[in-house]
Amino acid sequence: MNFQEIGLKEPLIQAVTEMGFEQLTPIQEKTIPFITGNNGDLIALAQTGTGKTAAFGLPVLNQIDIDNTDTQVLVLCPTRELCLQITGDLQNFSKYLKGLFVVPVYGGSSISAQIKQLKKKCQIVVATPGRAIDLMERKALKIDAIQWLVLDEADEMLSMGFKEDLDTILDDTPDDKTVLLFSATMPAEIERIAQSYMKNPQEIAVAAKNIAAENVEHQYFMVRAKDRYEALKRVADVNPDIYAIVFCRTRMECKEVADKLMADGYNADALHGDLSQAQRDNVMQRFRSKHLQILVATDVAARGLDVNDLSHVINYNLPDDPEVYVHRSGRTGRAGKSGVSISLLHLKEKGKLRTIEKICKKKFERKPVPNGREICEIQLMNFLDKVRNVEIDEAQIEGFTAQIADKFADMNREDVIKHFVSMEFNRFLDYYRNAKDINVETDDKEKERGGRKKDRGRDRSDRYDDRDDRSERSERRGGKRDRDRREYGKDYARLFISLGSKDRVSPGSMMGFVNRVVDNRDVSIGKIDIQKNFSFLEVDTEHLQEVLDAMRNAQYDGIPVSVEQATSDGPAAHKPSRKERRAAKFGNKNDDWKSREGGDREFDRRNSPYGDDVDQFMFGKKKKDRKEYHRKGFRGK
């Protein structure tokens, strides 16, 4: 079915034709005639990227009263990006409907400017729930006369905590409105909204729940957890024209992976919740314009991100919820194009993978992580193809031809080619010259059978052969250090670093920080001990001075870092006492007593209601009074 057959006005048909739309998508075929026929409330279930904006936008635009400048349509969506995307689509659809105005309102932008836009009158408002309520409380957004209320990505809004906001908005809308609810899934909260605020809604579904896109290839690599970042780099290197989103579980991991990629020379950046709106806009603009090849993001930060040409989606971690995997993989393979969804797994994630396969009804193909020779060959061929296909401006280069020929007069054709290729290609050859195989070699079925034989009597949940994972934990606890001492005779020195858990430092982020600052892969790192205000780090003595020099003026997230060797007279020799640990935790100003030489405890009489009766207050009959006094706020004085 095409757009001419569904009864749209000529200005709308002209606009969508110019946009290149010819055939309706399945969701559009079912919803547009229903809404155009004014058949009541609607619940439409469809995955991301199926053309939902046109599915509700075109029939609503077809019926809107342009001469009436009151707000007739309110569209609610979960994120700023989706708000702007919907607004842009509606403006494109209505470009030939003179006098129709669409206004987006969202958080992170000037509310005063948005109020001015609303005062100029507009027929359609696209809003995020929080900003909609702010504007309603200021009497700038009036929804008491709207005819259509659209909830787009309703399940996402509920999962992001907008339940109360949606209830507030729905309560203030007129009873005779038409509610159009679009969602990828049908959780219980959607059903509650339908029962509370919708009148006999018609339910339309265009695909079974959690079915992954047909034109997306699902692959996974099996590696040790500590080799996951190396596997990510090899995926990027073996796909020179990669245009991908890498999904991480947490903000810290997202930032860590992006920082490592940028430090290693990849065209990458991060998108996470700690970014300001201006920083987020900058990253998104660069990614949409393909000035970035790799975007590292959390699931929350990527909501509402609409990019049609992604070649890959990479799961740095498998999500706990299979629905999240479907949303991730659905970001590639859009608009009739093919895409690849890659998951970087370690052994303990095999069970989660099987669950996702079963729910998504897709079989994932295991692929070997590319080795160094494969990567170098692909990179070389890609480089040569670019050289061969580059456009030559004869007029510009003609004046330099003689000088170029003179430069290479003493070299034959083969030598020129070798020098030319080596200049561009040497870094790949150097990096992958001795690259190890990071695939987990044991066959899955053999591993499972061996695990069952070996682990008889163990709990069923522990029957994975998790020696690799135990080995990784052992290395983090110093196992690698002990092995190096035994096998290579290495000795380790202890460093004191002025970063601790209060700076959101973990052993993993500390390792990443050191690797970024110290550009030497031969440096061996031993035990990492994270305290609240500082940390200890072991490095092999052979590279001790190199590490100290490299980290002398280093910064971690903008925090200047102080590093020194922990000697018998330095920080490592001193184990904090209980009083010192308490002072580090609460600060001296919040202590009940103060320390003095000799280790005696002297109660702070200036704040004590008991005067000199310190022993009774601290340890005697009045101990209960002390606890009650603390509970009421004495500690904060």
Side-chain angles (χ1 to χ4, degrees):
M1 183 181 293
N2 58 43
F3 287 92
Q4 284 78 14
E5 298 174 1
I6 56 176
L8 295 180
K9 296 177 181 178
E10 184 57 35
L12 294 176
I13 294 176
Q14 183 180 354
V16 296
T17 301
E18 288 184 3
M19 294 171 67
F21 294 178
E22 296 179 0
Q23 298 297 318
L24 276 70
T25 65
I27 186 67
Q28 293 165 359
E29 284 186 2
K30 294 183 178 182
T31 58
I32 292 178
F34 180 88
I35 300 171
T36 303
N38 198 21
N39 293 315
D41 293 350
L42 172 68
I43 297 175
L45 301 178
Q47 298 291 349
T48 301
T50 54
K52 288 184 289 183
T53 305
F56 67 77
L58 290 174
V60 167
L61 289 170
N62 199 59
Q63 301 175 74
I64 203 165
D65 183 1
I66 298 178
D67 296 329
N68 180 3
T69 57
D70 292 336
T71 300
Q72 301 170 49
V73 184
L74 175 63
V75 181
L76 296 176
C77 57
T79 64
R80 175 185 190 275
E81 284 73 27
L82 187 56
C83 177
L84 291 172
Q85 176 198 324
I86 293 172
T87 301
D89 288 342
L90 294 177
Q91 289 172 339
N92 289 333
F93 297 153
S94 61
K95 64 185 294 186
Y96 295 113
L97 293 176
K98 303 303 181 184
L100 188 137
F101 297 98
V102 184
V103 171
V105 293
Y106 47 83
S109 186
S110 170
I111 195 169
S112 299
Q114 292 173 359
I115 291 174
K116 289 180 180 178
Q117 287 182 300
L118 292 174
K119 284 182 177 179
K120 293 178 181 179
K121 303 295 183 182
C122 55
Q123 292 89 346
I124 302 176
V125 174
V126 185
T128 53
R131 180 50 60 94
I133 290 178
D134 286 346
L135 292 166
M136 288 163 58
E137 291 174 348
R138 296 169 186 245
K139 310 298 182 184
L141 175 60
K142 298 178 181 179
I143 60 173
D144 53 350
I146 65 169
Q147 300 176 37
W148 291 276
L149 174 63
V150 181
L151 304 177
D152 194 18
E153 301 284 4
D155 52 349
E156 293 287 354
M157 285 193 282
L158 292 169
S159 69
M160 292 173 69
F162 288 127
K163 174 180 174 295
E164 293 182 2
D165 292 344
L166 291 178
D167 287 337
T168 300
I169 295 170
L170 285 162
D171 283 336
D172 285 355
T173 54
D175 294 334
D176 60 348
K177 66 184 179 299
T178 297
V179 180
L180 307 176
L181 188 152
F182 287 75
S183 179
T185 59
M186 190 68 174
E189 280 300 319
I190 297 290
E191 296 178 357
R192 181 191 67 82
I193 289 177
Q195 293 173 1
S196 303
Y197 301 105
M198 302 177 74
K199 301 180 291 292
N200 301 318
Q202 175 73 31
E203 184 173 323
I204 294 175
V206 297
K209 182 179 178 180
N210 291 331
I211 297 297
E214 291 296 331
N215 53 341
V216 176
E217 185 179 349
H218 301 267
Q219 303 174 356
Y220 71 95
F221 298 109
M222 189 66 73
V223 297
R224 295 176 177 83
K226 63 186 177 66
D227 292 326
R228 185 178 285 144
Y229 175 70
E230 177 65 24
L232 173 62
K233 291 202 300 181
R234 294 194 187 186
V235 169
D237 288 342
V238 84
N239 296 281
D241 297 322
I242 191 171
Y243 183 44
I245 298 179
V246 178
F247 283 100
C248 293
R249 189 184 299 274
T250 65
R251 298 178 184 181
M252 183 175 291
E253 184 179 61
C254 172
K255 187 176 187 306
E256 202 173 296
V257 171
D259 286 348
K260 285 182 179 180
L261 286 172
M262 289 186 282
D264 288 337
Y266 293 88
N267 188 11
D269 209 336
L271 188 69
H272 52 78
D274 288 339
L275 298 180
S276 68
Q277 195 61 59
Q279 290 172 320
R280 184 183 176 91
D281 290 344
N282 178 262
V283 172
M284 286 305 310
Q285 178 58 36
R286 290 162 57 211
F287 187 61
R288 284 198 178 100
S289 61
K290 296 190 178 181
H291 291 152
L292 286 178
Q293 279 188 280
I294 302 173
L295 180 67
V296 188
T298 58
D299 289 295
V300 173
R303 285 171 181 158
L305 172 61
D306 185 59
V307 180
N308 288 327
D309 299 326
L310 289 180
S311 63
H312 293 76
V313 165
I314 301 174
N315 299 282
Y316 199 74
N317 304 101
L318 275 182
D320 295 323
D321 188 350
E323 292 182 14
V324 174
Y325 178 87
V326 173
H327 286 305
R328 288 181 179 182
S329 62
R331 296 183 180 277
T332 186
R334 292 187 175 183
K337 299 179 181 178
S338 60
V340 181
S341 176
I342 293 176
S343 299
L344 307 177
L345 308 184
H346 61 85
L347 290 172
K348 290 230 170 173
E349 290 185 308
K350 281 181 59 182
K352 189 183 294 185
L353 174 69
R354 303 305 175 216
T355 301
I356 293 176
E357 282 183 324
K358 183 177 179 181
I359 293 177
C360 296
K361 296 179 175 57
K362 290 287 184 181
K363 182 67 177 175
F364 290 26
E365 181 184 3
R366 178 171 178 175
K367 292 279 191 178
V369 180
N371 59 38
R373 180 175 179 81
E374 291 174 307
I375 293 171
C376 289
E377 183 177 346
I378 288 174
Q379 286 285 344
L380 176 59
M381 293 302 107
N382 179 70
F383 171 68
L384 294 178
D385 286 341
K386 288 182 178 179
V387 172
R388 183 181 181 87
N389 297 326
V390 69
E391 293 185 9
I392 299 175
D393 189 336
E394 297 284 356
Q396 292 289 338
I397 203 170
E398 186 176 1
F400 302 97
T401 304
Q403 295 176 338
I404 294 171
D406 186 55
K407 276 286 184 184
F408 295 104
D410 59 338
M411 300 173 64
N412 60 36
R413 177 175 175 271
E414 290 185 0
D415 288 339
V416 171
I417 293 175
K418 289 178 182 178
H419 279 75
F420 183 63
V421 170
S422 296
M423 184 183 71
E424 179 68 24
F425 197 59
N426 274 351
R427 69 182 185 91
F428 277 103
L429 294 173
D430 290 341
Y431 182 79
Y432 285 111
R433 179 174 288 115
N434 298 313
K436 65 177 182 178
D437 182 6
I438 62 175
N439 291 282
V440 175
E441 297 177 359
T442 306
D443 181 76
D444 292 342
K445 294 182 180 178
E446 290 181 1
K447 183 175 286 293
E448 289 172 4
R449 287 198 299 268
R452 284 194 291 270
K453 291 178 181 178
K454 184 176 180 179
D455 298 333
R456 285 173 182 166
R458 291 177 60 186
D459 185 80
R460 291 181 64 87
S461 63
D462 292 331
R463 285 185 179 177
Y464 295 104
D465 187 349
D466 56 358
R467 287 171 295 176
D468 294 310
D469 295 276
R470 290 200 303 270
S471 174
E472 292 160 25
R473 291 195 295 270
S474 174
E475 287 189 14
R476 288 196 294 270
R477 292 170 182 156
K480 181 176 184 298
R481 170 198 58 192
D482 297 336
R483 188 192 66 209
D484 285 347
R485 282 175 175 157
R486 290 193 306 269
E487 297 182 7
Y488 305 112
K490 285 188 177 181
D491 198 7
Y492 281 77
R494 201 179 193 204
L495 299 181
F496 171 87
I497 302 180
S498 61
L499 292 172
S501 58
K502 67 178 178 59
D503 304 305
R504 301 178 68 183
V505 173
S506 65
S509 60
M510 179 67 77
M511 180 80 77
F513 169 64
V514 174
N515 287 337
R516 289 194 299 275
V517 174
V518 183
D519 188 18
N520 186 345
R521 294 179 180 272
D522 294 331
V523 175
S524 182
I525 297 176
K527 185 177 179 181
I528 299 175
D529 182 12
I530 306 292
Q531 301 291 326
K532 181 176 181 180
N533 297 304
F534 54 86
S535 301
F536 293 113
L537 169 73
E538 290 185 341
V539 298
D540 62 279
T541 53
E542 179 184 352
H543 298 93
L544 172 61
Q545 193 57 47
E546 179 183 355
V547 174
L548 287 172
D549 292 342
M551 300 183 71
R552 180 166 291 120
N553 297 314
Q555 290 191 346
Y556 181 86
D557 283 352
I559 304 171
V561 178
S562 173
V563 181
E564 60 181 282
Q565 185 176 0
T567 63
S568 58
D569 298 324
H574 177 65
K575 182 178 181 180
S577 67
R578 179 177 179 273
K579 289 179 288 185
E580 290 171 323
R581 293 196 304 271
R582 187 179 183 88
K585 184 174 182 181
F586 298 109
N588 286 333
K589 65 179 182 179
N590 291 330
D591 261 343
D592 306 337
W593 61 86
K594 294 186 177 181
S595 301
R596 67 182 183 187
E597 290 187 11
D600 295 335
R601 292 171 175 168
E602 179 180 348
F603 188 68
D604 189 350
R605 292 175 174 79
R606 289 174 299 176
N607 294 312
S608 170
Y610 293 91
D612 293 333
D613 194 5
V614 176
D615 291 336
Q616 286 295 319
F617 185 67
M618 292 302 303
F619 311 110
K621 297 178 181 179
K622 299 178 182 178
K623 186 176 180 181
K624 292 183 179 178
D625 296 336
R626 173 173 63 84
K627 290 183 177 180
E628 179 69 14
Y629 190 53
H630 286 189
R631 187 182 68 79
K632 290 181 178 179
F634 167 72
R635 183 177 298 278
K637 290 188 178 182

